[in-house]
Amino acid sequence: MDILIKNCRIVDETKDMIGDIYIKDGKIVDYGKSLDIDCKTIDGTKLVAMPSFIDMHAHFREPGYIYKEDLYTGSKAALKGGYTCVNLMANTHPICSSMEIVEYVLNKSKELDLIDIHQTLSATKNFDGKTIDHLDQIDHRVNFISDDGKGIQSNRTMYQAMIKAKEKDLTIIAHEEDEELVSIDTRLSENIMTFRDIYLIRLTGAKLHLAHVSTKEAIEEIRKAKKEGLKITCEVTPHHIALYDNEYKVNPPIREKEDVEAILKGIIDGTVDIIATDHAPHSKEDKEKGAPGISGIETAFPICYTSLVKSNYISLNRLSQLMSGTPGKLVGINKGKIKNGYDGDIVLIDLDKRVIIDGHKFMSKGKNTPFNGMEFYGEIVATIRKGEIKYNGGITVDN
């Protein structure tokens, strides 16, 4: 399918210009001014065209917890939020500790043909905190291992997992939480595990990606590690950027104002690499019972655009880098830039459009959000994957 987007503002991590984008056979083959091609055309006047977003950290709950979310509803929610690629965590049922489960998820996503999905394998078998023999079965389809949702408590196991990850060129996504300390002090719980894992990558040379970083101390330690040249990246979430002193239950918890200020500083100076949603949909009943998490993939862009760009902390280019460019590099895919030869994955956005968040209107099965009733800017008008409009929020296409 050929499609031409005309007269839009084209923005990625390196460019900001007015022009057209031509997608043919699923790839961007040209962009620039005054392209004249006989094909289906979208009038992008007053819209911004950005590379579609890539979520490094999401939970679609399939297999096993499909009453919370499934691959279909999660993919539809992703498209509404401007995402065409997600990296899913392993805390399904059964836990994703085998290539058979990876294959199930990948095959199902191909059948759905909505978004591209990468599946993370558990770092320890069935999250038992000690067994890593299953990692020997990993093939090229997996780039990340993680016990997200629990974290690896044993120092010895984490050390061994890092050795194995380095051997197989995998990145460990670390959920930093000391279970013995979390009931006493959640800040200490996150920090002490963060410090431990940074020390361990210094010893092992493994690649470490720190998930949902939320404390000022962790941000500072990551900054030091990067200056040292360690193989470390990190992500922060929209809710840890936009909220503070809020009791809505997430893990790690929403922190204090000074932590948000540290995250903002980390975003500005490059300490923070990625904004990931940690999309964690729950049923109403599970949320009422205390399940931690936010259904955040549909609201990430307007929250981040309003909190970061419209508030004059960073440029739209930097936001594109955080939500598309860097995660694309980390996942190792041909997405995340508007560049000839890259996948024709584009999100069209009306930056001036006010968005009032209403969880009841989510595509996701999970309606759980602390942002209900809040107003932000930046409506997703359309999401295009490989030249096909997968979400249409109101654009017209001329044949």
Side-chain angles (χ1 to χ4, degrees):
M1 177 180 177
D2 295 10
I3 195 164
L4 179 65
I5 306 168
K6 293 285 292 180
N7 305 315
C8 56
R9 179 184 171 193
I10 301 171
V11 177
D12 67 7
E13 62 184 272
T14 62
K15 63 180 70 70
D16 190 340
M17 58 181 281
I18 302 297
D20 313 327
I21 303 171
Y22 176 50
I23 301 169
K24 180 180 175 62
D25 298 328
K27 301 288 185 182
I28 298 170
V29 296
D30 201 4
Y31 67 90
K33 295 185 178 181
S34 304
L35 299 184
D36 186 13
I37 298 159
D38 184 16
C39 66
K40 292 184 177 181
T41 303
I42 297 171
D43 182 5
T45 304
K46 297 184 179 179
L47 299 178
V48 174
M50 297 175 68
S52 61
F53 312 129
I54 299 163
D55 196 352
M56 266 296 300
H57 190 137
H59 305 264
F60 282 2
R61 308 300 191 194
E62 187 176 350
Y65 300 113
I66 60 173
Y67 70 96
K68 296 174 183 275
E69 190 80 289
D70 57 47
L71 292 170
Y72 174 77
T73 58
S75 296
K76 294 290 282 187
L79 289 167
K80 188 179 178 184
Y83 290 84
T84 59
C85 181
V86 300
N87 179 49
L88 299 180
M89 295 298 106
N91 55 343
T92 51
H93 184 70
I95 292 165
C96 186
S97 295
S98 70
M99 291 307 298
E100 287 77 16
I101 297 174
V102 171
E103 190 167 353
Y104 166 80
V105 171
L106 298 184
N107 287 343
K108 181 75 174 287
S109 69
K110 287 177 183 176
E111 290 172 11
L112 292 170
D113 194 29
L114 293 170
I115 65 172
D116 292 299
I117 289 178
H118 185 279
Q119 178 63 56
T120 298
L121 201 79
S122 67
T124 68
K125 191 170 184 178
N126 298 322
F127 287 0
D128 70 1
K130 56 185 180 181
T131 307
I132 63 169
D133 295 349
H134 67 299
L135 299 181
D136 291 326
Q137 308 306 315
I138 287 180
D139 62 31
H140 68 279
R141 293 172 291 179
V142 172
N143 295 329
F144 307 106
I145 57 173
S146 178
D147 277 13
D148 181 69
K150 288 178 66 71
I152 297 175
Q153 302 301 302
S154 163
N155 298 333
R156 177 180 177 139
T157 301
M158 180 56 101
Y159 176 77
Q160 291 174 326
M162 285 187 178
I163 296 293
K164 181 63 69 175
K166 184 181 180 184
E167 174 189 317
K168 298 185 75 67
D169 195 28
L170 301 167
T171 298
I172 293 182
I173 300 177
H175 173 109
E176 303 295 29
E177 179 181 2
D178 187 311
E179 292 178 356
E180 291 184 337
L181 293 172
V182 70
S183 62
I184 301 171
D185 187 332
T186 62
R187 179 182 297 273
L188 177 60
S189 171
E190 179 176 344
N191 289 343
I192 201 164
M193 297 298 264
T194 300
F195 301 165
R196 178 200 72 172
D197 289 347
I198 290 174
Y199 184 80
L200 287 177
I201 62 164
R202 186 179 293 117
L203 292 178
T204 63
K207 293 184 291 186
L208 177 68
H209 179 75
L210 294 173
H212 41 57
V213 178
S214 71
T215 72
K216 60 182 182 180
E217 295 88 358
I219 290 288
E220 181 57 29
E221 206 65 21
I222 294 163
R223 182 177 289 113
K224 292 176 184 176
K226 288 192 164 198
K227 288 179 180 177
E228 192 180 332
L230 299 182
K231 296 176 183 178
I232 184 170
T233 53
C234 74
E235 68 188 42
V236 298
T237 71
H239 48 276
H240 286 118
I241 292 169
L243 300 174
Y244 59 87
D245 296 336
N246 187 300
E247 294 183 358
Y248 195 88
K249 190 165 184 180
V250 289
N251 189 17
I254 293 165
R255 301 293 185 183
E256 300 171 12
K257 187 176 182 181
E258 59 187 9
D259 297 296
V260 173
E261 291 170 348
I263 288 171
L264 291 173
K265 182 180 177 183
I267 288 171
I268 293 166
D269 70 14
T271 300
V272 173
D273 300 279
I274 287 168
I275 294 173
T277 70
D278 194 7
H279 175 71
H282 291 291
S283 67
K284 181 181 178 182
E285 293 74 20
D286 285 352
K287 197 64 186 168
E288 288 172 349
K289 292 175 184 176
I294 287 173
S295 185
I297 205 164
E298 295 175 59
T299 58
F301 179 81
I303 290 170
C304 292
Y305 171 72
T306 305
S307 301
L308 297 173
V309 181
K310 202 167 177 63
S311 299
N312 296 315
Y313 287 106
I314 61 172
S315 67
L316 193 56
N317 301 98
R318 173 66 173 141
L319 185 58
S320 181
Q321 184 180 47
L322 289 160
M323 296 184 71
S324 304
T326 302
K329 292 174 189 173
L330 196 59
V331 179
I333 52 178
N334 209 36
K335 302 180 191 291
K337 295 181 182 180
I338 296 178
K339 183 177 179 180
N340 292 357
Y342 270 58
D343 287 353
D345 289 21
I346 303 291
V347 59
L348 295 174
I349 308 162
D350 185 344
L351 294 180
D352 296 323
K353 189 71 176 292
R354 288 184 175 92
V355 177
I356 298 174
I357 292 177
D358 181 355
H360 295 98
K361 296 181 180 178
F362 285 174
M363 293 278 193
S364 172
K365 290 182 183 179
K367 314 302 179 186
N368 45 305
T369 176
F371 294 103
N372 266 327
M374 295 188 190
E375 184 177 276
F376 298 94
Y377 284 84
E379 181 179 66
I380 305 300
V381 178
T383 305
I384 299 167
R385 173 177 169 256
K386 296 180 181 177
E388 294 187 23
I389 300 169
K390 295 292 188 178
Y391 169 75
N392 189 336
I395 62 168
T396 57
V397 180
D398 296 327
N399 292 311

